[in-house]
Amino acid sequence: MGTKSRVLRGLSYGVTWIYLASCSQADSNQILSKTSGTTSDKVLTKKDSDAVSVDPTHPKQEVPIDPNAKKAPPSTPEMAKEPVSVDKTKADNAATLASGKVITQFNVTNPISWGTSAANPIVVKVPVTAAGTLIVPPTLPTNQQVAGVKDTLVGDAAFTGVNSLYAGIKFCNDTTVGIHLHSSANGPVNHGREIAAGTCQIMMVVRALANNGATYDHKMGAGAGSVFIKLVKVLPDGSEMP
């Protein structure tokens, strides 16, 4: 998709990708060679000193086995990849909730549908009550779209009068043209303003709705310009609703 979605928290958290890879290559234990112009075939091991001549006119000579010879240690099985920890996700979510805001950053690199599709939507985490109801400020601010700073919470503009837990989507326009998100009552945010190229704007999540077709870019229009969003509800303990 060429886009990047991440959750930014008030606390300093990093995301580390760990790639586990291993490879092995078995060497050939022996090489069969045939010397032209002779009647002798011989098997050569890796060491020439271990060569054994095979002459059809004489009995086969047995190579004595040294009982004190060191044996190769057994191979170590590959380390299994560590599964994704549900407990870690829960702890990270809890820390995000404690910061007072859940900001999901999405970098728009394609102005057409913002690079999204029904199968590949923008995934946005939102705080909810134990009953699954979206948590929003008691009174919604008048400036429901404010300027943001890419890849950090430092320097983000504040929503007027908001000092309680809320969720927002930070759209960063990495294209060369202006983008403008339209949203209806079936979308998670209210109608936005144009986001200039090279800037970020944060839109507050005010509804636990993200129906397909409810959000789209004004320049492309409904349908062709649909911007797909998926909400993930985070409970007060940090766990996520299925």
Side-chain angles (χ1 to χ4, degrees), residues 45-128:
T45 63
K46 292 180 180 179
K47 295 182 179 179
D48 292 339
S49 59
D50 294 334
V52 180
S53 297
V54 180
D55 191 335
T57 61
H58 293 81
K60 180 179 179 182
Q61 296 179 357
E62 297 292 336
V63 179
I65 300 176
D66 184 358
N68 298 320
K70 293 182 179 180
K71 296 182 179 180
S75 60
T76 303
E78 291 186 5
M79 183 182 298
K81 292 185 178 180
E82 183 180 354
V84 176
S85 172
V86 175
D87 290 339
K88 185 179 185 306
T89 298
K90 181 178 178 180
D92 287 348
N93 286 341
T96 302
L97 296 176
S99 75
K101 52 187 174 182
V102 184
I103 305 298
T104 300
Q105 177 176 308
F106 183 76
N107 299 341
V108 181
T109 59
N110 184 354
I112 301 176
S113 294
W114 296 14
T116 69
S117 66
N120 193 22
I122 303 170
V123 179
V124 178
K125 292 188 178 184
V126 297
V128 296

Side-chain angles (χ1 to χ4, degrees), residues 21-28 75-79:
S22 61
C23 61
S24 62
Q25 180 176 356
D27 292 326
S28 174
S75 60
T76 303
E78 291 186 5
M79 183 182 298

Side-chain angles (χ1 to χ4, degrees), residues 35-236:
T35 305
S36 61
T38 67
T39 59
S40 174
D41 292 343
K42 63 179 179 178
V43 175
L44 302 179
T45 63
K46 292 180 180 179
K47 295 182 179 179
D48 292 339
S49 59
D50 294 334
V52 180
S53 297
V54 180
D55 191 335
T57 61
H58 293 81
K60 180 179 179 182
Q61 296 179 357
E62 297 292 336
V63 179
I65 300 176
D66 184 358
N68 298 320
K70 293 182 179 180
K71 296 182 179 180
S75 60
T76 303
E78 291 186 5
M79 183 182 298
K81 292 185 178 180
E82 183 180 354
V84 176
S85 172
V86 175
D87 290 339
K88 185 179 185 306
T89 298
K90 181 178 178 180
D92 287 348
N93 286 341
T96 302
L97 296 176
S99 75
K101 52 187 174 182
V102 184
I103 305 298
T104 300
Q105 177 176 308
F106 183 76
N107 299 341
V108 181
T109 59
N110 184 354
I112 301 176
S113 294
W114 296 14
T116 69
S117 66
N120 193 22
I122 303 170
V123 179
V124 178
K125 292 188 178 184
V126 297
V128 296
T129 65
T133 302
L134 178 68
I135 297 175
V136 295
T139 301
L140 294 180
T142 56
N143 58 341
Q144 293 185 49
Q145 180 174 321
V146 298
V149 180
K150 188 175 182 179
D151 297 334
T152 180
L153 295 176
V154 178
D156 286 346
F159 289 101
T160 304
V162 174
N163 54 14
S164 60
L165 180 62
Y166 68 92
I169 313 174
K170 182 185 292 188
F171 294 108
C172 291
N173 185 359
D174 288 344
T175 73
T176 58
V177 298
I179 56 177
H180 188 170
L181 188 67
H182 167 95
S183 181
S184 70
N186 290 316
V189 297
N190 284 335
H191 204 284
R193 302 186 306 275
E194 181 168 321
I195 304 172
T199 68
C200 301
Q201 292 282 316
I202 305 171
M203 301 181 71
M204 182 179 287
V205 176
V206 295
R207 285 178 291 272
L209 293 173
N211 295 341
N212 291 347
T215 48
Y216 56 87
D217 189 279
H218 265 293
K219 295 184 178 182
M220 296 295 298
S226 292
V227 176
F228 296 87
I229 299 174
K230 175 184 178 181
L231 302 181
V232 175
K233 295 182 177 181
V234 180
L235 294 167

